Amino acid sequence: MRFFSTLLASVLGSFIAFGLLFVVGGMIMAGLIASTVSTSDPSIASESVLVLSLSGPINELGTSDPLYELLDVPQPQGLNQIQSALEHAATDDRIEAVWLKPQGIITGWATLVEIRESLLEFKKSGKPLIASTSGDLAMREPDYFLATAADSVYGPPRAFFEFNGFYLGVNFYKGLLDKLNIEPTVLRVGTYKGGIEPYTREDLSDENRAQLKVIVDQWNDLMTSTVADARNLTQEEVQQLMQSGTLFTTEDALQYGLLDGLLQSEHVDRLIAKWIDSDEDLNTVSLAHYYPSTTGGPSDSDGTIGIMNASGVIISGSSNELNGYLGASSFQKSMEKFREDDRVKAVVLRIDSPGGSATASEAMWQSVRETSDVKPVIVSMGDLAASGGYWLATAGDTIVASHHTLTGSIGVYGMHFSLGQMLETKLGITSDHVTTSDYADMLSGMRPLRPAERAMFERSLSETYDKFLERVSENRMMTTDAVHAVAQGRVWTGSDALEAGLVDELGNLDDAIRIAAHKAGLEDGRYRVKRLPQPETLVDQYLDLLLTRIRTTFESPVETMIRKEARLVDEAIQLQGIPIARMPLEVKTAH
C-alpha cells in the first residue's frame, strides 16, 4: 500500500511540475511578446482624453506589466502612476482633457488627498477635467471626494449615491475562540494598544473608542469642508445632508447640487467630445497605456534620489506582496543597494505599514540608520506609519507626514494561543511529549502559559517597549517620560502627531523628495528618482497564488479546520509568541 501511495504522489507531482512549466512558460512568452509591443511608441493620437478609471485598492506603486492588458486582467493601480500621468498630461499636447471615473476606490485618506491635489494641479493647465461614474452604486464617499476636483460631475440616472457619513469597524474574535476552545494569552504595554482587543473583548474599550472617534471625526471634517468648497455650499449644509438621510439616489444628489447632471457614460463621451471641439469619435487612452510614456528623468543629472517603498505588515524574512507582508531581509537588501550606490545622493523612505514584528522592525531600523550615516534619509508617511512602522521611521533624519496619516501607536503586545483543547474537543486529537526542561514546550501552542512563563513574556514585552521609547526619544529629542506620555499605544493622525512632537513636517511624498534633494545639495530638476523594490509582475503573483493553492490542496485535516474555521489572519500565526508592534489586526473602514 505504501508503494502505491508513493507512486501516486510521484506521478501527481510530475503532472503538477509539467503543468507549472507549461503555464508559466506560456505566461512568460506572452509577457515577452507584450513587452516588445509596449516598448514601442504607445501611438497616442492627438486630441486624446486620458481616462482614469480608479477602482479597488490603490497601492503606493503600480505596475506597467503589459501582460495584464494582454490577458484582459485588471491592472493594479499605483499612486505613483496616477500622479505621474496627471503631471505629464498637463503639458502633453496630445492630451486635451482628463476623464475621471472613480468607482469603489479602496485606499486611505492620505492617498485620496494626494490624488486630489494632483487633479487640482492638472486643472491649472486649463484643460477640462470631467468626472462620472456608472453602475447601480454610482459613488461612495471616497469616489465623490475625488470627483469634487472636477469641473463637472455626472452620475447615471436611478443609481445609488452613498453620502451618509463614516464609521470605523473592528472585528472581534473572542466569541470564535471561545466556541473553538482556543485559549489566548494576550498581553500589552500601552493603555491604547487596541491590537489585542479582538482577542480579549467583544467590543471597543473606552480608550480605543475615543482614539478611533477622533480619527473618524477628522475624516468627516475633511469630507464636508472639501464638498462645501467645491459645490458652493456651507459645511453645515453638507453635514446636514449627510445626517438627514436626504441623499440616497443620484436624483437626490442632483437636486441638492452635488451633481451637474444625470448621464450614462456614452453621453458623457459625447459631451467631452463637444468640449474639446472634436468632430470625430473620442480618442481615449487608459492609465496603463499612458503611464509608461511619463516615466524617466532629466537626460543629464547631478544624482539620484532613491525612494524606498516600505508597505505591508512587518515580518522577518522575505516580503510577500500578494499577502501584504514587508519582510525585513528583503527590505535590508534594497536599502543596501541604495546605501552602496554612489549615484544615489539621498533616500526617501516611504512608509505605509501598520507595523508587525518588533524584532523585524528593529532589524530594519538598523539598516536605515546605517544608510543615514552616509547619506540623508527622509521619511515620508503614507496612509499608515504606525507602531512598527513608526519604529522604522525614527531612523530617518526628518519625518514628513500627511495630515491624515495614521501614525504613532507606540506600544507593544504579544499573543499566545493554546490549541490543545480545541484539537481534543473538536477533532478528538490528543498529544503527549517528553521534554528536557519545564519550559521546552512553552511555545508549542498545545497548552496555556504557566504563571512563570507569563512573567517571562511580560518582561520581554516591557524590554521591547523600553527599546521603542528609546528609539523615539533619540529621534525626537524628547525624554523617555515625555515619549511615554504620548505613546501608550495611542494612534494619532498626522496633524495631531505634529502637535505631539512625533513628526517634523506635514506634507506629501513630493515634499519629502524636495527636502531630500535640498539636504543632498541637488538643484530642482537636476536629479532622477529611482524606486525600490519594483512591484511584482503578474507572473510573480500568479506563482505565489498557485503555490498557496498547492499547499492548501495537500494540507492535513487539522490545518484545513484551523484555516477555514479559526482564520485569525495569517500574521497572527507569523507573530505568535513574539513582541508585536502593530495596529489592530483587522480594522475595516467603511465610507
Side-chain angles (χ1 to χ4, degrees), residues 496-511:
D496 289 339
L498 179 66
E499 293 185 14
L502 297 179
V503 304
D504 295 297
E505 295 186 27
L506 296 178
N508 55 28
L509 178 60
D510 287 339
D511 295 320

Side-chain angles (χ1 to χ4, degrees), residues 335-407:
M335 187 59 71
E336 184 180 11
K337 290 180 181 177
F338 279 148
R339 184 168 60 249
E340 297 183 351
D341 189 342
D342 293 335
R343 294 167 298 180
V344 175
K345 305 302 181 183
V347 175
V348 173
L349 174 59
R350 177 69 167 183
I351 302 176
D352 186 17
S353 170
S357 163
T359 303
S361 299
E362 172 65 13
M364 293 161 64
W365 183 96
Q366 295 287 351
S367 181
V368 177
R369 178 49 58 92
E370 289 178 19
T371 305
S372 69
D373 287 340
V374 296
K375 58 188 67 174
V377 175
I378 309 302
V379 173
S380 172
M381 294 180 169
D383 290 325
L384 278 173
S387 216
Y390 186 78
W391 188 316
L392 179 59
T394 63
D397 303 311
T398 304
I399 300 178
V400 182
S402 162
H403 284 271
H404 300 282
T405 295
L406 298 184
T407 188

